[in-house]
Amino acid sequence: MGRHQRSRSASASSSATRSSDVTELDFAAADIDCPFGRVEALGPVELRETAYEIFFMSCRSSSSGGNNAGGARGGAMEGEVSSPVAGARGGGGATAAVGGSRVKKALGLKARRSSSSAQPMMARTLSQTSGPASPGRGRRPMTSAEIMRQQMRVTEQSDARLRRTLMRAVVGQVGRRPDTIVLPLELLRQLKPAEFADSEEYHQWQFRQVKLLEAGLILHPSLPLDRLNSAVLRFREVMHATEIRAIDTAKNSDAMRALTNAIQALAWRSGVGSGGGDACHWADGYPLNVLLYVSLLQTVFDQRECTAVLDEVDELLELIKKTWPTLGITKPVHNVCFAWAFFQQYVITSQVEADLAAAALAVLADVAADAKQQGSRDAVYVKVLVSALGAMQEWSERRLLDYHDSYEKGIGGAPTEGMEVLLSLALSAGKIVADRDAAGAAANFAGDRVDYYIRCSMKNAFTKILENGMGDGEPGVVLTELARDTEQLAQIERRSFSPVLRRWHPAPVAIAAVTLHGCFGVVLRQYVGKVTILTEELVRVLQSASRMEKALAQMTAEDAADCSDDRAKAVVGDMEPYEVESVVMGLLKVWMDDRLKITMDCLHRAKETESWIPKSKDEPFAGSAMELMKLAKYTVDEFSEIPASAKDEVVQDLVDGLHAIFQEYISFVASCGSKQNYIPPLPPLTRCNQDSGFFKLWRQAVLPSCQAPEGSLRGGGGGASHHIPRPSISRGTQRLYVRLNTLEYVLTHLHAVDKSLTSSASHLDAARAAAQSAIAHVAEVAAFRLVFLDSRHSFYHGLYVSNVADTRIRPTLRALKQNLTFLVSVLADRAQPVAVREVMKASFEAFLMVLLAGGGDRSFTRGDHAAVKEDFRSLRRAFCSCGEGLVPEEVVAREAETAEGVVELMARPTENLIDAFGVATCESIAAEHDDDDGNSGGGGATPVPPTPRQWDPADPNTILRVLCHRDDEVASQFLKRTFQLAKRR
């Protein structure tokens, strides 16, 4: 068995960079994120390799003596830079390590168990860790450097290469501090392709060093940096070249010279922490420095037994401390990172070793002291502190908010101890952050947070009991069992969890009981609200609820009486007694539900049978509306006779029920489609044919005979001009008028129903608003149906067809006036203004479509402008004179502005229109650039401007349509040249 373990260890050591990191795998599975963020350019393996390089460089000065060098490598690599060793240990290092660890004692960590896997790292020989021993190779204890190399999974080849590189780098630099060396630059200078397995490996290694320099000097600098300075630009150029292929790192190469100059300019800069002079800053920027440092701290945990801390932790930490000047780490930052390292290890090892959490708590005591002294003076320290402690608190609280689910299997056992550990971690971390944010604000932090944990966990546990008990059983039986289970849950809480929670909260039992009482009360009220009559089942439910309520009240009173905290005693007042509905209230609900059902049945009948035929001229609305409003008024009047003490509690229920019925009926009346159903599709854009004179004469001779039926409808000539047309309103449009009258009837009676309610408040405002909105919608649909469907022959299909002179608007106006007269005669007084206003809007829309989207049968010249302008004035006057001021003149003028602007475009010369189109197009493109942040497509033919939702004289599409209907050569050539529009057929 031991041989198997040793061979497996040797295999892992020889393929360290390729093997999976157990910690990293568990890190993801444990659902815990790194609180310090990420460095996008460097992954976990690259960070670890870089951390080891910095560690090795920082420790080299401590092992300059010959004895240490011999102890580190046994003279196997004479002339190389020596490995750092664990103090002046000599050959007895293993014994010293086993003797005891000051750090482990201070953190309360237990001694290692006696086993081969628990053997101290220094006591293990190289044959146990690096593979089978050769016949001539002695067995000796491992040095600190060898421990560090194995802990960080660095291969012997990489370690030897690093050793030789530093030997060459420090020649002539005796006495130079490690923190004054830009390590990646030195490695790039010294390491050559021949020292790697192949060119690809060298390229990847070289690019990692450049990415590291980018992260430390540009992406995450410790001192503010102008990203556009010349050094950054020079560095980017070299980095881009390195990404493509490995660069020449010879001393005299241009790339290396440019890289060296850029790095020197970026690394050697003065700052607050530099004592007024320049200092080397290349790996001390947040979060790069913290991520590298945490990678080093993770080496204190044994790879063979992830829950154990190495006995050599004191020596490793002393060596790791040597990286502080290079990484810019201070003692307070170290304490935060060390606490996080223990917490992370506790989490990713499935929380089986409480000593790790205890160690994190011990370090948090030092963190708390540091936080009080540091305050907010060090920005990096504040970031590290808030990030790490916030992550610890967040992860812990995710389990504490449902501690019944997290620890229910170990009630009274070890998992409950784990809960106490987690509570200590969450509260310690949270209080440090709270104290830092506001002095004195965290006086009751622990008690308040535990109060929150108890309430959330009790709610979650109650919800699980409720969900498990819900099935096909009777609701009353389910509720009776729920009352019994809720009382048992409170007993378990008092017996098992409250003793742990009492350390931070004076009355945990009272909080739990009050919370459960409130949860059950919600379910009880929902059940009682659905019961229509008082039954034996309801009596049993109320009795069970009463017994449970008494038990919870007794727990609350006893727990609050045992403590002197006034806040705990105030908890008793939070338990509001259950209120059981009286028989009168129950009967009232039965009555109310019955009345609402009758009204709803009326609504359903209306949906099935309503034909939108008025009852009579005196009642021009649907009969279903009269029946519905009569039932609603009767219900409200009867409700008003109920004594006030009973009705005030259910008045809102009645209002909500009636309101829902009114809303549904209004939606039913307004479900008549939309105006888009009647607007004809826009024809494709074309340009005028510029026909010969002979062809124009032929069209004038043929078209009148082809359009004789429509000509007679328009009264285009002869005796027909004296014919007075009959209204052309179809049956479908007339039914829409009935819908309008119906909505006006509902709106009027909603006010009467609202006044009948006992309360002085207005209850049906939303229903009245819905009715008004529905009236506007139905009026709009009716208007567009009247104009575009009923009047299509005289208006959209007939106006200005062939030529303007022979197809003026006069016949259309005669038909329109007849239709308006009929509309006013059938609509209720309140509905007339909105209906006429919508007909006006639809007429103006139709007139604009004739001018802008009239198809191939319409073309205009500048000479037609006067006639078109006069026709539109006539159309406008028709609405000004309709009825007795149904549409105010200012409203007509406002709605006519767009059409008048389009008509004025017809008077402008073609060249002027083309110029206006260009200006409008440029403005439109500029607006699109602003909206799209400068992203726009290019290439291809000139696109046609999009059709606007509403015509506008300043819109490029509107101007383009005027040009498409302009009958002259200049317009035709412009359209052909710019948009390749085809001629009309």
Side-chain angles (χ1 to χ4, degrees):
M1 181 65 180
R3 183 166 53 251
H4 172 69
Q5 289 180 344
R6 286 193 296 272
S7 63
R8 181 177 59 185
S9 175
S11 175
S13 176
S14 62
S15 59
T17 58
R18 299 188 302 273
S19 63
S20 298
D21 184 356
V22 176
T23 298
E24 291 169 2
L25 292 175
D26 290 346
F27 188 91
D31 188 26
I32 182 171
D33 296 327
C34 178
F36 310 114
R38 297 174 56 193
V39 176
E40 295 296 335
L42 302 173
V45 175
E46 294 169 315
L47 285 171
R48 190 170 60 240
E49 292 175 352
T50 301
Y52 180 74
E53 292 169 355
I54 295 176
F55 167 82
F56 196 96
M57 178 193 70
S58 301
C59 294
R60 68 180 178 84
S61 60
S62 66
S63 56
S64 58
N67 292 336
N68 286 345
R73 303 296 294 170
M77 298 181 181
E78 290 188 46
E80 297 179 5
V81 175
S82 305
S83 299
V85 295
R89 186 176 69 251
T95 305
V98 177
S101 166
R102 176 182 53 82
V103 173
K104 294 183 72 171
K105 290 179 181 179
L107 298 180
L109 296 172
K110 295 190 295 285
R112 303 294 302 279
R113 294 188 297 273
S114 177
S115 66
S116 59
S117 63
Q119 186 180 17
M121 289 285 288
M122 289 180 180
R124 302 175 195 170
T125 64
L126 289 180
S127 63
Q128 290 177 301
T129 58
S130 301
S134 60
R137 184 175 182 181
R139 296 173 178 266
R140 62 174 179 81
M142 297 175 62
T143 65
S144 297
E146 289 163 345
I147 294 175
M148 199 68 173
R149 178 183 65 78
Q150 289 201 355
Q151 288 291 94
M152 300 201 75
R153 295 171 290 284
V154 176
T155 64
E156 292 184 0
Q157 293 84 353
S158 298
D159 183 61
R161 189 166 56 209
L162 178 63
R163 203 176 299 277
R164 291 192 300 270
T165 303
L166 287 184
M167 178 201 68
R168 294 193 293 264
V170 300
V171 172
Q173 300 184 28
V174 178
R176 184 177 177 185
R177 298 195 319 272
D179 58 294
T180 62
I181 299 174
V182 182
L183 179 59
L185 181 60
E186 296 298 332
L187 294 177
L188 288 171
R189 284 171 173 168
Q190 304 299 334
L191 277 179
K192 304 304 177 184
E195 300 187 56
F196 293 84
D198 52 44
S199 59
E200 180 62 25
E201 181 184 357
Y202 175 69
H203 182 208
Q204 295 296 330
W205 174 87
Q206 188 184 82
F207 190 54
R208 172 173 74 86
Q209 300 298 334
V210 176
K211 287 193 298 181
L212 172 63
L213 288 169
E214 181 197 30
L217 297 176
I218 298 176
L219 299 181
H220 306 282
S222 60
L223 302 178
L225 174 66
D226 181 6
R227 302 298 177 90
L228 298 179
N229 66 28
S230 57
V232 172
L233 297 179
R234 291 197 304 270
F235 182 90
R236 294 288 191 194
E237 292 177 358
V238 178
M239 182 176 181
H240 180 68
T242 309
E243 186 175 7
I244 299 174
R245 65 177 62 87
I247 63 171
D248 181 10
T249 58
K251 182 177 181 180
N252 296 325
S253 72
D254 294 338
M256 196 61 190
R257 193 160 44 245
L259 182 64
T260 301
N261 293 337
I263 291 173
Q264 292 295 339
L266 293 172
W268 286 90
R269 296 189 292 134
S270 60
V272 177
S274 305
D278 286 352
C280 185
H281 303 276
W282 72 272
D284 54 348
Y286 180 85
L288 175 63
N289 60 339
V290 174
L291 294 174
L292 292 171
Y293 192 67
V294 171
S295 298
L296 292 172
L297 291 179
Q298 289 170 348
T299 60
V300 303
F301 304 105
D302 196 337
Q303 288 188 32
R304 295 190 177 192
E305 188 179 353
C306 296
T307 59
V309 177
L310 295 177
D311 290 328
E312 297 82 2
V313 59
D314 301 57
E315 298 171 349
L316 292 181
L317 288 178
E318 285 300 319
L319 295 177
I320 292 173
K321 185 176 179 180
K322 297 179 183 297
T323 64
W324 286 12
T326 301
L327 297 176
I329 300 296
T330 61
K331 183 66 174 177
V333 173
H334 161 80
N335 287 337
V336 177
C337 295
F338 204 34
W340 171 255
F342 278 108
F343 175 78
Q344 173 184 302
Q345 198 72 9
Y346 174 68
V347 171
I348 63 180
T349 54
S350 303
Q351 308 153 62
V352 297
E353 182 55 72
D355 280 1
L356 293 176
L361 279 171
V363 180
L364 283 179
D366 295 333
V367 173
D370 294 336
K372 292 180 180 179
Q373 296 176 2
Q374 291 290 113
S376 301
R377 290 175 295 176
D378 187 348
V380 173
Y381 172 71
V382 171
K383 290 180 182 179
V384 176
L385 179 74
V386 174
S387 300
L389 270 58
M392 295 170 65
Q393 181 184 9
E394 180 183 0
W395 188 93
S396 303
E397 289 190 344
R398 282 204 300 267
R399 283 130 189 93
L400 293 173
L401 293 178
D402 194 4
Y403 57 77
H404 282 85
D405 182 65
S406 302
Y407 300 103
E408 62 181 353
K409 294 181 180 179
I411 291 176
T416 310
E417 297 176 2
M419 172 186 168
E420 185 172 5
V421 170
L422 212 59
L423 275 165
S424 300
L425 283 171
L427 297 175
S428 298
K431 191 174 189 307
I432 294 173
V433 177
D435 286 338
R436 191 201 67 84
D437 290 340
N444 299 316
F445 176 82
D448 293 340
R449 296 309 298 172
V450 171
D451 185 293
Y452 180 62
Y453 302 156
I454 296 173
R455 294 180 187 274
C456 290
S457 188
M458 297 310 298
K459 290 178 181 178
N460 290 328
F462 178 86
T463 301
K464 289 183 177 66
I465 294 176
L466 178 61
E467 292 174 348
N468 294 333
M470 294 179 64
D472 298 331
E474 294 294 331
V477 177
V478 172
L479 209 60
T480 302
E481 294 177 352
L482 179 63
R484 183 186 67 246
D485 294 340
T486 302
E487 185 176 350
Q488 292 178 355
L489 177 62
Q491 296 291 350
I492 293 173
E493 174 73 15
R494 180 173 66 173
R495 181 175 62 253
S496 302
F497 294 105
S498 294
V500 176
L501 298 168
R502 197 177 297 280
R503 174 181 168 187
W504 295 279
H505 196 285
V509 177
I511 295 297
V514 170
T515 303
L516 287 176
H517 182 272
C519 292
F520 186 86
V522 172
V523 179
L524 178 64
R525 293 184 183 92
Q526 291 177 348
Y527 167 75
V528 174
K530 296 178 181 179
V531 176
T532 57
I533 57 177
L534 196 62
T535 62
E536 293 182 3
E537 181 183 271
L538 177 60
V539 172
R540 287 195 298 271
V541 170
L542 296 178
Q543 289 175 347
S544 301
S546 178
R547 286 195 298 269
M548 183 207 68
E549 183 177 35
K550 291 179 181 178
L552 295 181
Q554 184 177 359
M555 291 183 190
T556 303
E558 291 175 355
D559 198 43
D562 293 340
C563 62
S564 58
D565 194 325
D566 294 335
R567 292 186 308 151
K569 294 182 179 180
V571 174
V572 179
D574 295 337
M575 183 178 288
E576 299 181 3
Y578 298 142
E579 296 181 0
V580 180
E581 296 287 352
S582 64
V583 176
V584 175
M585 185 60 66
L587 294 175
L588 175 60
K589 284 187 171 292
V590 172
W591 169 86
M592 184 180 65
D593 294 339
D594 181 65
R595 286 299 178 188
L596 291 176
K597 184 179 182 302
I598 293 174
T599 310
M600 183 62 74
D601 291 340
C602 175
L603 170 61
H604 292 161
R605 284 196 305 274
K607 289 184 175 181
E608 296 174 357
T609 61
E610 187 57 70
S611 60
W612 306 114
I613 298 176
K615 296 186 63 176
S616 65
K617 291 184 178 181
D618 296 332
E619 297 175 345
F621 42 80
S624 59
M626 178 181 291
E627 182 181 0
L628 184 71
M629 301 311 296
K630 183 178 180 180
L631 286 173
K633 186 67 167 59
Y634 179 78
T635 300
V636 172
D637 290 341
E638 198 171 46
F639 179 80
S640 300
E641 298 177 2
I642 300 173
S645 59
K647 69 177 183 178
D648 288 346
E649 298 182 29
V650 296
V651 62
Q652 190 58 46
D653 294 337
L654 177 63
V655 170
D656 292 341
L658 291 175
H659 186 270
I661 294 173
F662 293 149
Q663 287 274 26
E664 189 171 350
Y665 184 77
I666 291 169
S667 299
F668 164 64
V669 178
S671 58
C672 57
S674 68
K675 69 177 184 179
Q676 301 299 330
N677 297 339
Y678 303 104
I679 298 178
L682 298 179
L685 291 176
T686 59
R687 53 195 175 97
C688 291
N689 288 327
Q690 288 294 295
D691 298 326
S692 65
F694 174 79
F695 188 75
K696 291 181 179 179
L697 293 175
W698 181 81
R699 288 188 61 186
Q700 292 175 5
V702 174
L703 286 179
S705 61
C706 297
Q707 298 179 350
E710 292 188 17
S712 63
L713 282 174
R714 291 193 299 269
S721 62
H722 302 288
H723 174 68
I724 300 177
R726 298 175 62 184
S728 58
I729 300 179
S730 64
R731 291 293 182 90
T733 306
Q734 294 179 33
R735 291 190 180 95
L736 291 176
Y737 292 161
V738 175
R739 289 176 185 257
L740 268 178
N741 287 335
T742 302
L743 289 170
E744 281 292 340
Y745 178 86
V746 171
L747 181 61
T748 301
H749 284 74
L750 279 175
H751 181 68
V753 171
D754 207 356
K755 287 183 62 177
S756 299
L757 291 171
T758 55
S759 177
S760 59
S762 180
H763 297 281
L764 300 176
D765 288 342
R768 288 199 292 270
Q772 292 171 344
S773 176
I775 288 171
H777 171 71
V778 175
E780 181 184 64
V781 175
F784 274 77
R785 178 184 173 91
L786 174 66
V787 172
F788 284 97
L789 181 65
D790 298 344
S791 305
R792 63 185 182 278
H793 294 297
S794 63
F795 206 158
Y796 182 73
H797 288 175
L799 184 62
Y800 302 149
V801 171
S802 180
N803 62 80
V804 174
D806 296 334
T807 51
R808 298 287 295 276
I809 203 171
R810 184 177 179 186
T812 304
L813 293 178
R814 285 203 300 269
L816 176 63
K817 290 177 181 179
Q818 291 295 326
N819 291 336
L820 289 175
T821 301
F822 179 85
L823 180 151
V824 171
S825 67
V826 300
L827 283 181
D829 293 342
R830 292 179 178 272
Q832 291 175 11
V834 64
V836 174
R837 185 165 60 249
E838 292 300 330
V839 172
M840 176 188 67
K841 293 180 181 179
S843 299
F844 290 171
E845 178 70 14
F847 190 86
L848 283 175
M849 289 190 66
V850 166
L851 301 181
L852 301 174
D857 292 332
R858 291 183 174 94
S859 63
F860 305 94
T861 65
R862 285 187 64 194
D864 295 330
H865 167 258
V868 174
K869 183 177 181 180
E870 179 59 29
D871 285 349
F872 183 75
R873 287 180 178 176
S874 300
L875 178 62
R876 175 176 167 175
R877 285 195 299 270
F879 292 99
C880 290
S881 61
C882 179
E884 297 180 359
L886 291 177
V887 183
E889 291 187 6
E890 59 270 16
V891 176
V892 177
R894 184 171 60 251
E895 294 295 337
E897 288 177 358
T898 300
E900 289 174 345
V902 173
V903 171
E904 288 304 315
L905 288 177
M906 301 177 65
R908 297 168 67 174
T910 303
E911 293 80 3
N912 188 286
L913 285 175
I914 294 173
D915 293 340
F917 172 80
V919 173
T921 301
C922 292
E923 293 176 352
S924 176
I925 293 175
E928 291 178 1
H929 274 273
D930 292 340
D931 294 341
D932 299 337
D933 296 329
N935 296 325
S936 61
T942 303
V944 175
T947 303
R949 294 182 179 180
Q950 292 182 345
W951 306 116
D952 189 336
D955 177 72
N957 185 275
T958 303
I959 301 173
L960 178 62
R961 290 179 177 274
V962 174
L963 287 169
C964 288
H965 288 78
R966 175 61 61 89
D967 191 8
D968 68 22
E969 183 64 21
V970 176
S972 178
Q973 290 301 319
F974 169 76
L975 296 173
K976 177 181 179 181
R977 180 177 62 255
T978 306
F979 301 101
Q980 292 83 44
L981 294 183
K983 287 186 177 182
R984 298 178 179 177
R985 296 183 180 275

